[in-house]
Amino acid sequence: MFSRKQLVKLILPLMVEQLLAMTIGIADTLMVATCGEAAVSGISLVDSINILLINIFSALATGGAIICSQLIGKEQIQDAKKAAKQLLLVTAVLSLAIMAACLVSQRGLLRILFGSIEDSVMDNAVTYLFLSALSYPFIAVYNAGAALFRSMGNSKISMYASALMNVVNVGGNALLIFGFRMGVAGAGLASLFSRILAAVFVLYLLKNKKNLLYIERWLSWRPDFPMLKNILRIGIPTGLENGMFQIGKILVASLIASFGTASITANAVANSANSLVFVPAQAIGLGMITVVGQCVGAGNFQQAKSYMLKLTGTAYLFMISLNVLMYFLINPMLAMYHLSNETAAITREIMVWHCLTAAVLWPAAFTLPNGLRAAGDVKFTMLVSVFSMWTFRIGFSFLIGKYWGFGVLGVWTAMYIDWVFRIALFVWRVVSGKWKNHRMV
């Protein structure tokens, strides 16, 4: 159903998009690093909340994209248009509610999640959370719109939107942080403005009737409960999976906060720097949703399985290559963050071990299950992910990191154990063929 040229046309813009998306967080961290480690730590803690909520929005977007992809595969275009409109409706309503809740609870929420962090870190975190919360509706709607374009096989739109976000974000950071000396507030404002523009850009393009899917009569949105049910049948399990995953990461971040500012900063910098190596594999996973979803919608399970394995193999080639490169770039990258000797030593050890394990484990643990989700097998992936996260990543983080005294290095070791468990069950599920019984349309 998809030629090599079509796959490249779909996935290459997604790689560029993911790379551009990553640079927003990296730009914030690098530029704010000039304001001190308390600023970096404050942004890091809030980003753990941001990632949780963005993943919930992305889960809804994924649910809508899978439904639309399967309907396109079945050549039911009118139903796909209805699903697209319902996706935007439910995403907007949910994101506004979450924004309001975060604005009301700011400092209390941070205190509950991260305990007695230093006052300077707390002040920076409160500022960044306020501005981040204002951006939630815009990033949620953008994610939904971008997912709809991907379901049509058009990934260039989200790439252009990411480029727009980065230009505004980096330029805004330079102006507000360095020009107006606004520190964390400058980073938050630049991200807010960039997300507003991206949402407006994607919504405007969804009006174009030349698209396979487009939105008509924007002001006549009404709930279509059967269609919403289909979207939520995928979106809720995927959202629970992503949500529990990120809640687990917040608990782990809270544990790391107890190890001191050096560990918080080392964890933040390692996450920021290592994020670059995941770009191709994550893009391939997003492309897999469109490819496998359309194959399943057309009833072609043999091709669906073939694409799962081929695309996961391609992700491995990228992961191995990039982690070898990252290994040799660790010291030059750390020099850009202006870290203390203690923080730099911890960060370097984390990154060395990460280069070795991510190349071997990550694609089978995270790229491959996107094929299962695209086929509608979302409950299985949810159960595996939630169990593994809470048993291995969280449980072993406290065991190895806190009780055995390995600190933040023990937390990263627990993460690798989590990856191994996921791989065992996801590979078994693909080989067993049980994923073929879960089409959603």
Side-chain angles (χ1 to χ4, degrees):
M1 292 182 63
F2 292 85
S3 67
R4 179 174 296 181
K5 183 178 180 180
Q6 288 174 312
L7 291 174
V8 171
K9 186 178 179 181
L10 172 65
I11 293 172
L12 186 58
L14 290 174
M15 290 185 182
V16 177
E17 176 196 349
Q18 291 297 300
L19 178 62
L20 292 170
M22 293 292 184
T23 60
I24 290 182
I26 294 173
D28 283 353
T29 305
L30 278 174
M31 293 184 175
V32 173
T34 61
C35 303
E37 292 190 2
V40 175
S41 297
I43 286 181
S44 170
L45 295 178
V46 174
D47 272 343
S48 63
I49 301 172
N50 290 342
I51 293 170
L52 162 65
L53 297 176
I54 289 171
N55 273 275
I56 291 174
F57 303 145
S58 296
L60 280 177
T62 298
I66 290 172
I67 294 298
C68 290
S69 294
Q70 292 192 8
L71 288 169
I72 290 170
K74 291 173 70 69
E75 299 183 354
Q76 296 178 0
I77 305 303
Q78 289 302 317
D79 286 338
K81 290 179 183 178
K82 293 179 183 177
K85 196 168 186 177
Q86 293 301 307
L87 171 63
L88 290 170
L89 173 64
V90 70
T91 300
V93 171
L94 177 64
S95 60
L96 286 169
I98 291 175
M99 178 195 73
C102 288
L103 290 176
V104 168
S105 62
Q106 294 175 61
R107 189 175 292 269
L109 175 63
L110 291 168
R111 187 66 70 190
I112 290 171
L113 292 175
F114 303 115
S116 55
I117 56 178
E118 296 176 10
D119 289 341
S120 59
V121 175
M122 174 61 79
D123 290 340
N124 283 300
V126 169
T127 299
Y128 197 66
L129 177 58
F130 173 78
L131 295 168
S132 295
L134 293 177
S135 76
Y136 293 156
F138 302 102
I139 193 64
V141 170
Y142 161 73
N143 279 337
L148 292 175
F149 278 107
R150 288 194 294 269
S151 71
M152 295 182 252
N154 183 352
S155 55
K156 289 184 178 180
I157 298 302
S158 53
M159 178 185 71
Y160 295 146
S162 286
L164 175 65
M165 278 196 289
N166 273 267
V167 169
V168 174
N169 186 67
V170 173
N173 278 338
L175 176 65
L176 298 175
I177 295 175
F178 300 138
F180 289 92
R181 305 292 180 183
M182 294 181 66
V184 169
L189 282 171
S191 295
L192 171 60
F193 293 148
S194 70
R195 288 166 176 172
I196 291 172
L197 287 176
V200 172
F201 175 73
V202 169
L203 289 178
Y204 175 78
L205 292 179
L206 279 172
K207 293 170 57 179
N208 190 342
K209 294 185 178 181
K210 293 181 180 179
N211 296 323
L212 185 62
L213 305 181
Y214 57 88
I215 306 299
E216 296 180 289
R217 298 189 300 275
W218 288 85
L219 298 179
S220 65
W221 272 345
R222 294 180 182 177
D224 182 335
F225 292 106
M227 188 65 73
L228 284 173
K229 180 180 178 182
N230 268 344
I231 294 172
L232 295 176
R233 282 172 65 193
I234 296 178
I236 288 177
T238 305
L240 285 173
E241 175 186 340
N242 290 347
M244 296 300 284
F245 180 81
Q246 294 302 328
I247 289 171
K249 289 185 72 174
I250 290 174
L251 290 176
V252 170
S254 179
L255 173 63
I256 292 172
S258 70
F259 300 147
T261 300
S263 291
I264 296 173
T265 306
N267 185 68
V269 171
N271 274 319
S272 177
N274 286 329
S275 64
L276 293 172
V277 303
F278 299 122
V279 167
Q282 288 174 331
I284 290 168
L286 289 174
M288 190 184 292
I289 289 174
T290 298
V291 172
V292 174
Q294 290 193 24
C295 288
V296 170
N300 197 331
F301 293 100
Q302 183 176 353
Q303 283 201 45
K305 181 178 178 180
S306 176
Y307 284 125
M308 285 187 207
L309 299 179
K310 288 179 180 178
L311 292 174
T312 301
T314 304
Y316 264 109
L317 292 176
F318 279 104
M319 284 295 289
I320 292 169
S321 301
L322 289 175
N323 276 284
V324 169
L325 178 62
M326 177 63 73
Y327 179 84
F328 291 103
L329 292 177
I330 290 175
N331 287 336
M333 291 191 71
L334 291 182
M336 295 189 296
Y337 285 93
H338 310 286
L339 302 174
S340 65
N341 290 336
E342 178 189 3
T343 303
I346 297 172
T347 309
R348 185 177 295 105
E349 188 168 1
I350 290 172
M351 292 182 69
V352 167
W353 281 106
H354 186 269
C355 286
L356 297 173
T357 53
V360 177
L361 301 177
W362 200 89
F366 293 94
T367 303
L368 180 63
N370 268 5
L372 299 176
R373 296 183 186 100
D377 195 9
V378 290
K379 289 184 180 179
F380 179 80
T381 58
M382 176 192 71
L383 292 173
V384 170
S385 298
V386 170
F387 176 82
S388 186
M389 179 72 189
W390 286 80
T391 302
F392 297 106
R393 186 172 298 195
I394 297 175
F396 277 55
S397 287
F398 280 87
L399 177 65
I400 301 173
K402 183 175 182 179
Y403 295 108
W404 289 0
F406 285 89
V408 69
L409 297 173
V411 171
W412 283 71
T413 301
M415 179 178 71
Y416 305 142
I417 298 170
D418 166 41
W419 292 359
V420 171
F421 180 81
R422 290 168 185 264
I423 290 170
L425 291 190
F426 290 146
V427 170
W428 166 80
R429 189 68 167 186
V430 171
V431 173
S432 72
K434 293 185 177 182
W435 54 275
K436 298 177 183 178
N437 304 319
H438 298 274
R439 274 189 294 181
M440 306 303 290
V441 299

